[in-house]
Amino acid sequence: FTRKKKSVIAVLFLISAISIYALYLQKKTARPNILLITIDALRADHLGCYGYARNTSPNIDRLAKEGVRFTQAISQSTLTVPSLPSLMTSLYPSQLGITTIFQMSSISAPTLAEILKENNYHTGAIIAHLLKHTDIKKGFDSAVFISPLDSAYTSDKVTKKAIDWIAQNRDKRFFLWLHYMDPHEPFTPAHPYDEIFLSEKFKKNGKEFLTKKYYWVAPPQNPPSSLLPPAMKSLPFGLPNTIQTGRGNLNKEDKEY
């Protein structure tokens, strides 16, 4: 009886050990959900976690403190249209043939979303930008585009759609990409953020230019010189009426291009 009891105990111990090891392997090899957040025109040196004195980014600062903060993460372009495809493919803009805002070419290289989808991830994107008709949505099971032309303040819309998307897909292994546009001009954040960091002098003299609506999409034919900072006075205003894309022509009046 004692020998049998010892054998049973030994078998139970072995089963427990195997179960614990199996759980360990499962946890070690489990693939996490992935949430990628990109923010258009956001300067790293205006974030607290990178040394900025003003309290502009408490939540980002908290994430940086609790996680990993990189000091050498460099965008491959100063322009969004070339930069985002580069991010999604790990290729230089010159390799993709997309180096200006007018080159919305097809993306032939595999994208991050396509690779994750091949590995059984459910993929989604919620993007506040004029990229609806481009290949940036390659590999995404769903892609929602929010036009910043209707309202420069779009972060609430992006966040709400993201919360709804995660609630609908929480039982799946997912990759969700969110792209926010609010730091981009025109600078019209919701109150009180529209004035909280502005000096009284700037509120009086500079706010008119900052809130003008997207000179780079549909600039006036003869912009008042008083509204332009010195660096912009020498730039030619006006965009071509039609932009060539990999999926046909788009008119600049189209708010979804």
Side-chain angles (χ1 to χ4, degrees), residues 27-149:
K27 185 176 181 180
K28 186 177 180 181
T29 58
R31 295 177 298 171
N33 292 327
I34 302 171
L35 175 63
L36 172 64
I37 299 175
T38 54
I39 306 174
D40 212 288
L42 177 65
R43 288 176 51 163
D45 62 352
H46 276 57
L47 299 176
C49 57
Y50 287 98
Y52 195 51
R54 292 173 170 174
N55 186 28
T56 56
S57 52
N59 293 318
I60 293 176
D61 297 345
R62 177 176 54 80
L63 288 172
K65 185 177 180 180
E66 296 174 358
V68 177
R69 180 180 65 90
F70 291 89
T71 58
Q72 293 294 321
I74 302 170
S75 173
Q76 298 307 311
S77 174
T78 58
L79 302 170
T80 306
V81 172
S83 183
L84 292 181
S86 182
L87 176 68
M88 285 294 155
T89 60
S90 195
L91 294 174
Y92 290 113
S94 58
Q95 293 175 287
L96 293 168
I98 306 174
T99 56
T100 75
I101 62 173
F102 306 121
Q103 290 175 306
M104 300 181 186
S105 306
S106 298
I107 301 173
S108 58
T111 65
L112 174 61
E114 287 180 304
I115 293 170
L116 289 172
K117 186 174 180 178
E118 289 174 358
N119 286 273
N120 300 317
Y121 272 81
H122 183 65
T123 56
I126 302 169
I127 301 171
H129 204 280
L130 310 175
L131 295 169
K132 183 174 182 178
H133 299 290
T134 72
D135 271 357
I136 199 68
K137 57 179 177 279
K138 271 184 62 179
F140 288 102
D141 294 307
S142 64
V144 176
F145 292 85
I146 299 170
S147 173
L149 294 182

Side-chain angles (χ1 to χ4, degrees), residues 140-161:
F140 288 102
D141 294 307
S142 64
V144 176
F145 292 85
I146 299 170
S147 173
L149 294 182
D150 296 325
S151 171
Y153 181 64
T154 56
S155 61
D156 279 357
K157 295 178 183 178
V158 174
T159 300
K160 183 180 184 307
K161 288 183 180 295

Side-chain angles (χ1 to χ4, degrees), residues 231-256:
M232 293 184 68
K233 289 182 179 180
S234 60
L235 296 178
F237 274 82
L239 299 181
N241 289 328
T242 302
I243 296 176
Q244 297 283 335
T245 77
R247 298 181 180 275
N249 297 333
L250 295 171
N251 295 321
K252 68 180 183 181
E253 288 78 15
D254 181 1
K255 292 185 178 181
E256 292 184 330

Side-chain angles (χ1 to χ4, degrees), residues 8-19:
V8 170
I9 292 174
V11 170
L12 290 175
F13 177 80
L14 181 61
I15 292 173
S16 299
I18 292 173
S19 299

